[in-house]
Amino acid sequence: GIVCKADRGIIGFLYQIYMLFLYLFLPRLFGKKIYALGLGVYSNSNPIVLHIATRLLKSAEIITVRDYHSLVLLKSKQIPAQLYKDNSYLMALDSIEVVKNENFFKTNYDSSKHNIGLALLKPDNAEDEKSLILEIREYIDKNYKTTNFWFYACDYQDNFFNDFLFINKIFELIKKNEQKKSIKIVPTHLSPGKFFSSFKLMDYFISMRLHGSIFAYRCNMDFYGISYDEKCTSFLESIGKKPVAISDITLFKLK
């Protein structure tokens, strides 16, 4: 139920309309009470989606939002809402010991090396994409002798160019075998609990994905938060971090 900038053009727009119909309009049509919990509602949403969403939300019994930007936006439209943390906080996390016993990490994790997690997505702008890939390649080239890089595909649906495909694109552009050996692509078949709990194995995290940042924060680790959207900016500011724009990434300064 997130009302934000739609990815994937017309398909993303139609998907948002479908979600609004399924979760807000249809229950109202059948006279059901609506509880809308943990929403993100942002000003960069498609104007049609935003208009429909705010009209439908006025009939909800309870509305909670996950960040301050969403709270201000809904209150500006006279929609009462309460601020509450993102719903992903409700998911239990496994201990480090449990994660280490998972086959993939048992085989690949090396505590004698520095371990850095990365949750990236393909930027919309071609220049931003080129700049991001260059930064990542140079960062790996600078640190691969002492560091393993763990790439997390936080969004890997099959019907569009997903994070997993973007990770593999970066991997293919890295030519030297020694650098490639330092790269670990976390399997997408892991349960969400195992997937996000494995952040605890990392010494540091670089995240563009919102939930990459949320779970890095939940795991009480330091991380570099890159903002590609208002929802990322809002979360990072809520925990006292300064969001980094894609055009301002300076991984060279990270140690």
Side-chain angles (χ1 to χ4, degrees), residues 73-129:
L73 177 59
L74 290 184
K75 288 200 170 182
S76 73
K77 297 181 180 296
Q78 289 74 54
I79 299 174
Q82 303 171 49
L83 188 61
Y84 190 73
K85 56 193 175 185
D86 186 84
N87 290 333
S88 58
Y89 281 83
L90 301 174
M91 188 177 78
L93 293 176
D94 295 326
S95 67
I96 290 179
E97 289 72 25
V98 170
V99 176
K100 283 182 177 178
N101 282 325
E102 201 285 325
N103 287 333
F104 175 75
F105 297 106
K106 189 186 292 185
T107 303
N108 293 282
Y109 182 68
D110 182 358
S111 60
S112 69
K113 299 190 79 173
H114 199 58
N115 291 281
I116 296 180
L118 302 98
L120 307 175
L121 72 153
K122 181 180 178 295
D124 290 334
N125 181 283
E127 283 301 312
D128 284 343
E129 179 184 354

Side-chain angles (χ1 to χ4, degrees), residues 140-173:
I140 291 172
D141 189 55
K142 176 184 174 184
N143 297 286
Y144 74 93
K145 291 181 180 179
T146 59
T147 305
N148 281 332
F149 300 90
W150 302 75
F151 283 82
Y152 288 81
C154 291
D155 191 346
Y156 49 88
Q157 297 181 50
D158 293 331
N159 296 328
F160 58 90
F161 190 88
N162 55 54
D163 295 359
F164 186 77
L165 294 176
F166 184 54
I167 290 168
N168 277 279
K169 181 176 181 179
I170 296 173
F171 185 78
E172 289 169 4
L173 291 171

Side-chain angles (χ1 to χ4, degrees), residues 1-2 35-40 42 63-67 82-93 196 210-211 214-215 218 235:
I2 297 172
Y35 301 90
L37 307 176
L39 298 184
Y42 304 100
I63 303 170
T64 69
V65 292
R66 65 185 186 183
D67 57 70
Q82 303 171 49
L83 188 61
Y84 190 73
K85 56 193 175 185
D86 186 84
N87 290 333
S88 58
Y89 281 83
L90 301 174
M91 188 177 78
L93 293 176
F196 288 111
L210 171 63
H211 287 89
I214 289 174
F215 280 99
R218 280 197 63 188
F235 172 72

Side-chain angles (χ1 to χ4, degrees), residues 36-62:
L37 307 176
L39 298 184
V41 184
Y42 304 100
S43 59
N44 63 352
S45 304
N46 180 287
I48 296 172
V49 170
L50 187 59
H51 176 74
I52 294 172
T54 51
R55 288 290 298 273
L56 292 174
L57 283 171
K58 287 183 178 180
S59 63
E61 298 283 322
I62 298 173

Side-chain angles (χ1 to χ4, degrees), residues 127-144:
E127 283 301 312
D128 284 343
E129 179 184 354
K130 182 179 177 181
S131 175
L132 175 63
I133 291 175
L134 178 62
E135 283 282 345
I136 297 298
R137 288 174 61 191
E138 292 293 333
Y139 188 54
I140 291 172
D141 189 55
K142 176 184 174 184
N143 297 286
Y144 74 93

